[in-house]
Each structure stands twice: as structure tokens, then as C-alpha cells.
Amino acid sequence: MLRRPDLPAPRSPRRCAMSRIPAWAVGLALVAALAAVLCSITALRQAAHAPTLRPYAYDLPDGWTPPPVPAGSVPVTEASVALGRALFYDTKLTNDGKTTCATCHEQARAFTNGKRTGVDASGHALEHNTISLVNAGYASLYTWADPSITTIEQELAMTPRPPEAMDRLRADPAYGRMFAEVFPGQADPFTWANTETALGAFVRTLISADTPYDRFARGDRTALSPLAQEGMGLFFSNNLACYTCHVDVPRQAGMPTWAAQSHQHNGVTADGATMLVPALRNVAVTGPYMHDGRFSSLEQVVRMYERGGDEGASSPHKNPVVSGFLLTDHERAALIAFLTEGLTDQRLLTDPAYGPPPIATPDH
């Protein structure tokens, strides 16, 4: 074909650059692209599921820090707390299939049970009164008479461990998902150690930080009635010195320092035995009182300390602070007003987050 001399000669057609890439390289690129897409989908799914993996969001006042977690215990996350809460209210962990942790630790009673002494799953009375779980995450002692128990998990390990309990949990698909999430990578996460550390995560969230005393300490001078303020003055006085034995954690800025947790001879044990000095938060709802539940009212407790003790009053092992004191009826009423009105945390006693899950057990 003729062409005009002023037109450029036609170029030879170029081969597509892709035609020079080996087929194996193209295949590898496609595989990489597919992997990237799959990774993106997985990341999106994980992001949607991530909230349960986040650290538990404590709602604490300024100056308070979350409870420490002992080495070897599961971190306090939304997932571990949810698992621990489900277990706390589940009957699968007990011999009789009826009892739960909450049977002996009722939220409305500040996680005690209102009985003189505890009762086991068989209905047999135990030796000591049930200790409150409130602020247990801050504690360093967990039993009335054994100072070697220093973590929540050690205390939980002392409770009966029916062998069939793990089979009950393992048979529940919902627990299968929850245990796998909290204890990833374990061939069989259904162990008593894992169960106890999940329960410990939930118990560490049972924090009382909003009593009228707390609000008063933070500057709200209307939080306590005049009578309760007078009782607070007596509580922290050198005459009564209640604060030198009873613990409160953490410390309140600008307020007198309470004692460190300890075992002391309390003036009511006839021998030299020492007993845990309990914290007094929510004491209005944790009766009966003392290690053996011998007193049904706070007035009885106060009058006993006015006497300097009961049958153990002359014991050489008794804490010398328990030496007796004199109170007028008005002063006694003021002291009790501080203990009841001032140290009761209604938020803790009623917050649904501490109660049974919306569905009490995962398989219902």
C-alpha cells in the first residue's frame, strides 16, 4: 500500500507488558491479592469482636486505681469478667446443682449471706461468718484465721471442686466460646484453675467507692448528716481508735489513714486465736457480726467494745487497743450513724452489672 511521504511509517504493534510476565508470577500475585482481601475481612471481624477483648473499664473516682492482678491470673478484661460473672451465678459448679457463689454472696447484702455462719452446698453450717467480697481485689488477706491465703484465687481453690463440674461446662457451647476467648491456645481450657481465675476477674470488679463517706472525702460536705459526721469524728478519735484496726482501701486523700489489713485478737475469742479485722464498708447490711456471727446488731458490737471485750477480754493476746471506752447514748447513736449511713454504698448494692447476667447461665 502506497503512503504519503510526509506521514511517519506505521509502528510495529507492541506486545502487552503482561505477556512478558511469567504465568507463575501472575498466579503468585493473584494469591497475594486474595490473601490481602481475606486478611482485611478477618481484621474487620476481629474489630467487630474486639470490645470483649478490651481491658475492663473500671468506673473509679480520682485517686483510686484498679485492683492489682497477681502473677498467673487472667487479665481483667470484658471477656474474663463476663465469663466470671456467668460462673458466679451458675449452678453447674456445685455438687447439688442448685447452689451458686451468689447463694453465700448476695449482692444486696454486700456479697454476704445474712446467716450467722456460712453454709456449704450440702447445707451444713460452716465455722465462720461469710466475709464480704466487696473490694476484695484490694485485700491482702481473705480468711478469718489463715494468713497464708493472700489471693482471691487461693481462697476460691479452698472450695469443693466436684469432678463433674467441668464436664457440665464443657457440654455447654456458650461456655465453649467464652473459655476459648479468655484462654486462647489451650487444648482444653476447662480447668478449675481457669475457672477460679475467671471468677477472680469478676470479683475484682466488685468495688465500693461511692459511699457518703467517699463523697464527703471528695469535698461534698452535705454527703454526711451532722450526726454521721459526729460519729466519724468518734471513729477516728484516739479515744475509740476504730480506724487503727479496721482497714479501708485505697486511702482517701485528705482523710485520716485507716489501718493495714491484719489478723488481731478481737476480744471475743477465749484462746489466743487471732481473727481477720474486716473492712466496714456496707457493714449495715453484712450482719450478723464477728467471726462467729454472735451479734445481730451493730449496737451489740459497739457495746462489746465499750466493755473491752467478752470472754476474751482478759486474754494476754488481745490487741491492747481493745481496752474499753465510755460512750453516751447520743455518741453511740452517732457512731452507728456513721457506720450505717456513712459507709453504705447503694450503687454497689443495686448495680445490675454486679447481679446475674441477663440470661443467668449461657445455655438458657
Side-chain angles (χ1 to χ4, degrees):
M1 178 179 68
L2 298 175
R3 60 179 179 86
R4 289 174 51 182
D6 58 329
L7 294 178
R11 295 183 180 180
S12 300
R14 289 188 177 184
R15 298 179 59 191
C16 175
M18 290 291 295
S19 66
R20 296 195 299 270
I21 301 176
W24 63 267
V26 174
L28 185 62
L30 291 174
V31 169
L34 179 60
V37 170
L38 292 176
C39 286
S40 297
I41 294 173
T42 300
L44 289 173
R45 287 177 176 173
Q46 289 177 340
H49 194 55
T52 60
L53 303 178
R54 294 173 183 164
Y56 178 79
Y58 286 97
D59 183 13
L60 299 174
D62 291 342
W64 288 60
T65 57
V69 178
S73 297
V74 70
V76 181
T77 65
E78 292 181 4
S80 64
V81 171
L83 174 58
R85 181 185 178 191
L87 293 167
F88 191 88
Y89 288 97
D90 201 329
T91 58
K92 293 184 180 69
L93 297 183
T94 56
N95 286 317
D96 63 0
K98 300 177 182 178
T99 307
T100 71
C101 299
T103 302
C104 292
H105 298 282
E106 303 172 30
Q107 180 182 5
R109 298 180 185 273
F111 296 92
T112 62
N113 66 355
K115 295 179 171 61
R116 179 166 181 170
T117 63
V119 179
D120 66 17
S122 301
H124 298 124
L126 303 176
E127 183 179 1
H128 294 137
N129 183 258
T130 300
I131 298 174
S132 173
L133 297 180
V134 174
N135 288 355
Y138 296 109
S140 57
L141 299 170
Y142 292 90
T143 68
W144 282 107
D146 187 352
S148 69
I149 305 300
T150 58
T151 69
I152 296 170
E153 286 76 8
Q154 288 175 336
E155 167 65 8
L156 290 168
M158 297 173 64
T159 59
R161 292 175 162 185
E164 65 274 17
M166 291 302 107
D167 291 334
R168 295 174 191 158
L169 297 179
R170 196 177 287 109
D172 188 328
Y175 272 129
R177 295 188 295 272
M178 296 174 82
F179 270 85
E181 182 175 27
V182 177
F183 306 101
Q186 296 186 16
D188 181 11
F190 290 95
T191 67
W192 275 106
N194 284 350
T195 299
E196 288 153 3
T197 194
L199 284 167
F202 173 62
V203 171
R204 289 186 177 93
T205 70
L206 306 180
I207 294 176
S208 172
D210 194 37
T211 66
Y213 166 76
D214 293 308
R215 295 194 293 274
F216 185 91
R218 294 195 288 268
D220 180 1
R221 290 303 186 250
T222 66
L224 291 175
S225 69
L227 186 64
Q229 290 185 45
E230 184 178 345
M232 182 177 65
L234 290 166
F235 185 91
F236 289 109
S237 70
N238 292 329
N239 181 29
L240 274 62
C242 309
Y243 71 100
T244 63
C245 292
H246 287 283
V247 63
D248 188 57
V249 286
R251 303 291 184 258
Q252 295 288 315
M255 300 298 287
T257 300
W258 300 54
Q261 199 167 28
S262 65
H263 287 84
Q264 301 280 348
H265 188 287
N266 58 15
V268 299
T269 49
D271 55 17
T274 59
M275 294 292 165
L276 178 72
V277 181
L280 296 178
R281 285 175 177 269
N282 305 289
V283 69
V285 299
T286 61
Y289 303 103
M290 310 304 290
H291 66 283
D292 54 4
R294 65 177 59 196
F295 297 130
S296 60
S297 72
L298 287 172
E299 181 175 349
Q300 290 175 318
V301 177
V302 172
R303 287 184 180 276
M304 184 274 294
Y305 281 114
E306 289 182 64
R307 296 190 297 270
D310 279 346
E311 67 261 31
S314 61
S315 170
H317 305 284
K318 186 182 69 171
N319 187 319
V321 172
V322 185
S323 57
F325 46 80
L326 295 174
L327 290 177
T328 66
D329 290 345
H330 175 81
E331 288 172 331
R332 189 180 304 107
L335 178 61
I336 293 172
F338 172 64
L339 296 174
T340 55
E341 170 197 328
L343 297 182
T344 300
D345 188 341
Q346 290 296 336
R347 178 180 177 185
L348 170 94
L349 303 180
T350 59
D351 190 339
Y354 299 143
I359 300 177
T361 56
D363 59 352
H364 288 87

PDB file of all heavy atoms in Angstrom, residues 166-167 169-171 175-176 179-180 183-195:
ATOM      1  N   MET A 166     -16.636 -29.644  85.469  1.00  0.00           N
ATOM      2  CA  MET A 166     -16.006 -29.268  84.211  1.00  0.00           C
ATOM      3  C   MET A 166     -16.716 -29.924  83.022  1.00  0.00           C
ATOM      4  O   MET A 166     -16.814 -29.332  81.943  1.00  0.00           O
ATOM      5  CB  MET A 166     -14.527 -29.647  84.222  1.00  0.00           C
ATOM      6  CG  MET A 166     -13.678 -28.819  85.185  1.00  0.00           C
ATOM      7  SD  MET A 166     -13.738 -27.033  84.846  1.00  0.00           S
ATOM      8  CE  MET A 166     -14.754 -26.463  86.207  1.00  0.00           C
ATOM      9  N   ASP A 167     -17.226 -31.145  83.220  1.00  0.00           N
ATOM     10  CA  ASP A 167     -17.968 -31.794  82.142  1.00  0.00           C
ATOM     11  C   ASP A 167     -19.250 -31.015  81.840  1.00  0.00           C
ATOM     12  O   ASP A 167     -19.652 -30.889  80.674  1.00  0.00           O
ATOM     13  CB  ASP A 167     -18.305 -33.232  82.529  1.00  0.00           C
ATOM     14  CG  ASP A 167     -17.073 -34.121  82.597  1.00  0.00           C
ATOM     15  OD1 ASP A 167     -16.088 -33.803  81.903  1.00  0.00           O
ATOM     16  OD2 ASP A 167     -17.101 -35.115  83.344  1.00  0.00           O
ATOM     17  N   LEU A 169     -19.722 -27.780  82.208  1.00  0.00           N
ATOM     18  CA  LEU A 169     -19.347 -26.569  81.484  1.00  0.00           C
ATOM     19  C   LEU A 169     -18.926 -26.900  80.057  1.00  0.00           C
ATOM     20  O   LEU A 169     -19.289 -26.198  79.100  1.00  0.00           O
ATOM     21  CB  LEU A 169     -18.206 -25.856  82.210  1.00  0.00           C
ATOM     22  CG  LEU A 169     -18.491 -25.325  83.616  1.00  0.00           C
ATOM     23  CD1 LEU A 169     -17.232 -24.674  84.186  1.00  0.00           C
ATOM     24  CD2 LEU A 169     -19.637 -24.330  83.613  1.00  0.00           C
ATOM     25  N   ARG A 170     -18.176 -27.989  79.908  1.00  0.00           N
ATOM     26  CA  ARG A 170     -17.670 -28.365  78.590  1.00  0.00           C
ATOM     27  C   ARG A 170     -18.812 -28.704  77.634  1.00  0.00           C
ATOM     28  O   ARG A 170     -18.696 -28.503  76.414  1.00  0.00           O
ATOM     29  CB  ARG A 170     -16.717 -29.557  78.753  1.00  0.00           C
ATOM     30  CG  ARG A 170     -15.830 -29.824  77.545  1.00  0.00           C
ATOM     31  CD  ARG A 170     -14.879 -30.972  77.806  1.00  0.00           C
ATOM     32  NE  ARG A 170     -13.807 -30.606  78.725  1.00  0.00           N
ATOM     33  CZ  ARG A 170     -13.704 -31.047  79.987  1.00  0.00           C
ATOM     34  NH1 ARG A 170     -14.609 -31.872  80.476  1.00  0.00           N
ATOM     35  NH2 ARG A 170     -12.697 -30.664  80.750  1.00  0.00           N
ATOM     36  N   ALA A 171     -19.909 -29.193  78.166  1.00  0.00           N
ATOM     37  CA  ALA A 171     -21.053 -29.566  77.335  1.00  0.00           C
ATOM     38  C   ALA A 171     -21.876 -28.374  76.880  1.00  0.00           C
ATOM     39  O   ALA A 171     -22.772 -28.523  76.042  1.00  0.00           O
ATOM     40  CB  ALA A 171     -21.942 -30.552  78.099  1.00  0.00           C
ATOM     41  N   TYR A 175     -20.318 -21.701  76.865  1.00  0.00           N
ATOM     42  CA  TYR A 175     -19.101 -21.710  77.668  1.00  0.00           C
ATOM     43  C   TYR A 175     -17.889 -22.097  76.825  1.00  0.00           C
ATOM     44  O   TYR A 175     -16.774 -21.622  77.070  1.00  0.00           O
ATOM     45  CB  TYR A 175     -19.246 -22.668  78.844  1.00  0.00           C
ATOM     46  CG  TYR A 175     -19.864 -22.032  80.073  1.00  0.00           C
ATOM     47  CD1 TYR A 175     -20.937 -22.633  80.722  1.00  0.00           C
ATOM     48  CD2 TYR A 175     -19.374 -20.834  80.590  1.00  0.00           C
ATOM     49  CE1 TYR A 175     -21.513 -22.060  81.850  1.00  0.00           C
ATOM     50  CE2 TYR A 175     -19.930 -20.248  81.714  1.00  0.00           C
ATOM     51  CZ  TYR A 175     -21.003 -20.864  82.340  1.00  0.00           C
ATOM     52  OH  TYR A 175     -21.569 -20.287  83.451  1.00  0.00           O
ATOM     53  N   GLY A 176     -18.111 -22.969  75.833  1.00  0.00           N
ATOM     54  CA  GLY A 176     -17.006 -23.324  74.942  1.00  0.00           C
ATOM     55  C   GLY A 176     -16.435 -22.091  74.271  1.00  0.00           C
ATOM     56  O   GLY A 176     -15.213 -21.921  74.184  1.00  0.00           O
ATOM     57  N   PHE A 179     -14.759 -19.676  77.191  1.00  0.00           N
ATOM     58  CA  PHE A 179     -13.475 -20.163  77.695  1.00  0.00           C
ATOM     59  C   PHE A 179     -12.394 -20.045  76.632  1.00  0.00           C
ATOM     60  O   PHE A 179     -11.251 -19.675  76.931  1.00  0.00           O
ATOM     61  CB  PHE A 179     -13.601 -21.612  78.166  1.00  0.00           C
ATOM     62  CG  PHE A 179     -13.979 -21.757  79.620  1.00  0.00           C
ATOM     63  CD1 PHE A 179     -15.304 -21.710  80.009  1.00  0.00           C
ATOM     64  CD2 PHE A 179     -13.006 -21.933  80.583  1.00  0.00           C
ATOM     65  CE1 PHE A 179     -15.658 -21.841  81.338  1.00  0.00           C
ATOM     66  CE2 PHE A 179     -13.340 -22.060  81.918  1.00  0.00           C
ATOM     67  CZ  PHE A 179     -14.673 -22.022  82.310  1.00  0.00           C
ATOM     68  N   ALA A 180     -12.741 -20.365  75.369  1.00  0.00           N
ATOM     69  CA  ALA A 180     -11.751 -20.273  74.296  1.00  0.00           C
ATOM     70  C   ALA A 180     -11.294 -18.841  74.094  1.00  0.00           C
ATOM     71  O   ALA A 180     -10.127 -18.583  73.764  1.00  0.00           O
ATOM     72  CB  ALA A 180     -12.340 -20.835  73.004  1.00  0.00           C
ATOM     73  N   PHE A 183      -9.124 -17.908  77.313  1.00  0.00           N
ATOM     74  CA  PHE A 183      -7.911 -18.721  77.436  1.00  0.00           C
ATOM     75  C   PHE A 183      -7.537 -19.289  76.070  1.00  0.00           C
ATOM     76  O   PHE A 183      -7.605 -20.499  75.832  1.00  0.00           O
ATOM     77  CB  PHE A 183      -8.137 -19.852  78.451  1.00  0.00           C
ATOM     78  CG  PHE A 183      -8.614 -19.381  79.798  1.00  0.00           C
ATOM     79  CD1 PHE A 183      -9.955 -19.477  80.147  1.00  0.00           C
ATOM     80  CD2 PHE A 183      -7.724 -18.823  80.698  1.00  0.00           C
ATOM     81  CE1 PHE A 183     -10.398 -19.028  81.380  1.00  0.00           C
ATOM     82  CE2 PHE A 183      -8.155 -18.365  81.933  1.00  0.00           C
ATOM     83  CZ  PHE A 183      -9.492 -18.468  82.279  1.00  0.00           C
ATOM     84  N   PRO A 184      -7.152 -18.426  75.124  1.00  0.00           N
ATOM     85  CA  PRO A 184      -6.874 -18.882  73.755  1.00  0.00           C
ATOM     86  C   PRO A 184      -5.637 -19.777  73.711  1.00  0.00           C
ATOM     87  O   PRO A 184      -4.707 -19.631  74.507  1.00  0.00           O
ATOM     88  CB  PRO A 184      -6.636 -17.572  72.999  1.00  0.00           C
ATOM     89  CG  PRO A 184      -6.156 -16.607  74.043  1.00  0.00           C
ATOM     90  CD  PRO A 184      -6.893 -16.978  75.295  1.00  0.00           C
ATOM     91  N   GLY A 185      -5.659 -20.710  72.767  1.00  0.00           N
ATOM     92  CA  GLY A 185      -4.488 -21.555  72.545  1.00  0.00           C
ATOM     93  C   GLY A 185      -4.414 -22.768  73.446  1.00  0.00           C
ATOM     94  O   GLY A 185      -3.518 -23.601  73.272  1.00  0.00           O
ATOM     95  N   GLN A 186      -5.308 -22.908  74.401  1.00  0.00           N
ATOM     96  CA  GLN A 186      -5.286 -24.071  75.280  1.00  0.00           C
ATOM     97  C   GLN A 186      -6.117 -25.186  74.658  1.00  0.00           C
ATOM     98  O   GLN A 186      -7.251 -24.965  74.241  1.00  0.00           O
ATOM     99  CB  GLN A 186      -5.825 -23.721  76.661  1.00  0.00           C
ATOM    100  CG  GLN A 186      -4.995 -22.699  77.410  1.00  0.00           C
ATOM    101  CD  GLN A 186      -5.470 -22.488  78.843  1.00  0.00           C
ATOM    102  OE1 GLN A 186      -6.228 -23.290  79.390  1.00  0.00           O
ATOM    103  NE2 GLN A 186      -5.016 -21.405  79.460  1.00  0.00           N
ATOM    104  N   ALA A 187      -5.547 -26.385  74.634  1.00  0.00           N
ATOM    105  CA  ALA A 187      -6.265 -27.519  74.045  1.00  0.00           C
ATOM    106  C   ALA A 187      -7.574 -27.775  74.775  1.00  0.00           C
ATOM    107  O   ALA A 187      -8.601 -28.068  74.150  1.00  0.00           O
ATOM    108  CB  ALA A 187      -5.376 -28.768  74.072  1.00  0.00           C
ATOM    109  N   ASP A 188      -7.553 -27.686  76.084  1.00  0.00           N
ATOM    110  CA  ASP A 188      -8.767 -27.841  76.878  1.00  0.00           C
ATOM    111  C   ASP A 188      -8.744 -26.795  77.990  1.00  0.00           C
ATOM    112  O   ASP A 188      -8.127 -26.999  79.032  1.00  0.00           O
ATOM    113  CB  ASP A 188      -8.851 -29.240  77.485  1.00  0.00           C
ATOM    114  CG  ASP A 188     -10.136 -29.440  78.297  1.00  0.00           C
ATOM    115  OD1 ASP A 188     -11.038 -28.567  78.208  1.00  0.00           O
ATOM    116  OD2 ASP A 188     -10.233 -30.450  79.014  1.00  0.00           O
ATOM    117  N   PRO A 189      -9.405 -25.645  77.776  1.00  0.00           N
ATOM    118  CA  PRO A 189      -9.368 -24.575  78.779  1.00  0.00           C
ATOM    119  C   PRO A 189     -10.264 -24.843  79.987  1.00  0.00           C
ATOM    120  O   PRO A 189     -10.257 -24.062  80.936  1.00  0.00           O
ATOM    121  CB  PRO A 189      -9.870 -23.359  77.999  1.00  0.00           C
ATOM    122  CG  PRO A 189     -10.770 -23.933  76.955  1.00  0.00           C
ATOM    123  CD  PRO A 189     -10.169 -25.256  76.579  1.00  0.00           C
ATOM    124  N   PHE A 190     -11.019 -25.945  79.965  1.00  0.00           N
ATOM    125  CA  PHE A 190     -11.945 -26.227  81.062  1.00  0.00           C
ATOM    126  C   PHE A 190     -11.198 -26.876  82.225  1.00  0.00           C
ATOM    127  O   PHE A 190     -11.167 -28.100  82.377  1.00  0.00           O
ATOM    128  CB  PHE A 190     -13.089 -27.118  80.591  1.00  0.00           C
ATOM    129  CG  PHE A 190     -14.030 -26.423  79.660  1.00  0.00           C
ATOM    130  CD1 PHE A 190     -13.875 -26.534  78.285  1.00  0.00           C
ATOM    131  CD2 PHE A 190     -15.061 -25.633  80.147  1.00  0.00           C
ATOM    132  CE1 PHE A 190     -14.743 -25.883  77.424  1.00  0.00           C
ATOM    133  CE2 PHE A 190     -15.931 -24.969  79.289  1.00  0.00           C
ATOM    134  CZ  PHE A 190     -15.768 -25.093  77.922  1.00  0.00           C
ATOM    135  N   THR A 191     -10.581 -26.040  83.030  1.00  0.00           N
ATOM    136  CA  THR A 191      -9.880 -26.494  84.224  1.00  0.00           C
ATOM    137  C   THR A 191     -10.358 -25.687  85.417  1.00  0.00           C
ATOM    138  O   THR A 191     -10.892 -24.585  85.261  1.00  0.00           O
ATOM    139  CB  THR A 191      -8.360 -26.312  84.080  1.00  0.00           C
ATOM    140  OG1 THR A 191      -8.057 -24.896  84.042  1.00  0.00           O
ATOM    141  CG2 THR A 191      -7.828 -26.967  82.812  1.00  0.00           C
ATOM    142  N   TRP A 192     -10.155 -26.235  86.605  1.00  0.00           N
ATOM    143  CA  TRP A 192     -10.549 -25.489  87.801  1.00  0.00           C
ATOM    144  C   TRP A 192      -9.694 -24.235  87.971  1.00  0.00           C
ATOM    145  O   TRP A 192     -10.173 -23.200  88.425  1.00  0.00           O
ATOM    146  CB  TRP A 192     -10.458 -26.377  89.038  1.00  0.00           C
ATOM    147  CG  TRP A 192     -11.700 -27.182  89.238  1.00  0.00           C
ATOM    148  CD1 TRP A 192     -11.872 -28.518  89.026  1.00  0.00           C
ATOM    149  CD2 TRP A 192     -12.970 -26.685  89.665  1.00  0.00           C
ATOM    150  NE1 TRP A 192     -13.171 -28.885  89.291  1.00  0.00           N
ATOM    151  CE2 TRP A 192     -13.872 -27.776  89.696  1.00  0.00           C
ATOM    152  CE3 TRP A 192     -13.442 -25.428  90.030  1.00  0.00           C
ATOM    153  CZ2 TRP A 192     -15.207 -27.652  90.082  1.00  0.00           C
ATOM    154  CZ3 TRP A 192     -14.776 -25.295  90.408  1.00  0.00           C
ATOM    155  CH2 TRP A 192     -15.644 -26.393  90.436  1.00  0.00           C
ATOM    156  N   ALA A 193      -8.428 -24.317  87.588  1.00  0.00           N
ATOM    157  CA  ALA A 193      -7.562 -23.131  87.706  1.00  0.00           C
ATOM    158  C   ALA A 193      -8.098 -21.997  86.842  1.00  0.00           C
ATOM    159  O   ALA A 193      -8.151 -20.837  87.275  1.00  0.00           O
ATOM    160  CB  ALA A 193      -6.132 -23.481  87.323  1.00  0.00           C
ATOM    161  N   ASN A 194      -8.495 -22.303  85.610  1.00  0.00           N
ATOM    162  CA  ASN A 194      -9.050 -21.272  84.736  1.00  0.00           C
ATOM    163  C   ASN A 194     -10.382 -20.756  85.268  1.00  0.00           C
ATOM    164  O   ASN A 194     -10.672 -19.550  85.199  1.00  0.00           O
ATOM    165  CB  ASN A 194      -9.243 -21.826  83.326  1.00  0.00           C
ATOM    166  CG  ASN A 194      -7.945 -21.948  82.562  1.00  0.00           C
ATOM    167  OD1 ASN A 194      -6.904 -21.453  83.001  1.00  0.00           O
ATOM    168  ND2 ASN A 194      -7.981 -22.624  81.423  1.00  0.00           N
ATOM    169  N   THR A 195     -11.199 -21.657  85.773  1.00  0.00           N
ATOM    170  CA  THR A 195     -12.491 -21.255  86.326  1.00  0.00           C
ATOM    171  C   THR A 195     -12.304 -20.288  87.485  1.00  0.00           C
ATOM    172  O   THR A 195     -12.987 -19.262  87.588  1.00  0.00           O
ATOM    173  CB  THR A 195     -13.276 -22.496  86.784  1.00  0.00           C
ATOM    174  OG1 THR A 195     -13.509 -23.350  85.652  1.00  0.00           O
ATOM    175  CG2 THR A 195     -14.603 -22.108  87.410  1.00  0.00           C
TER     176      THR A 195
END
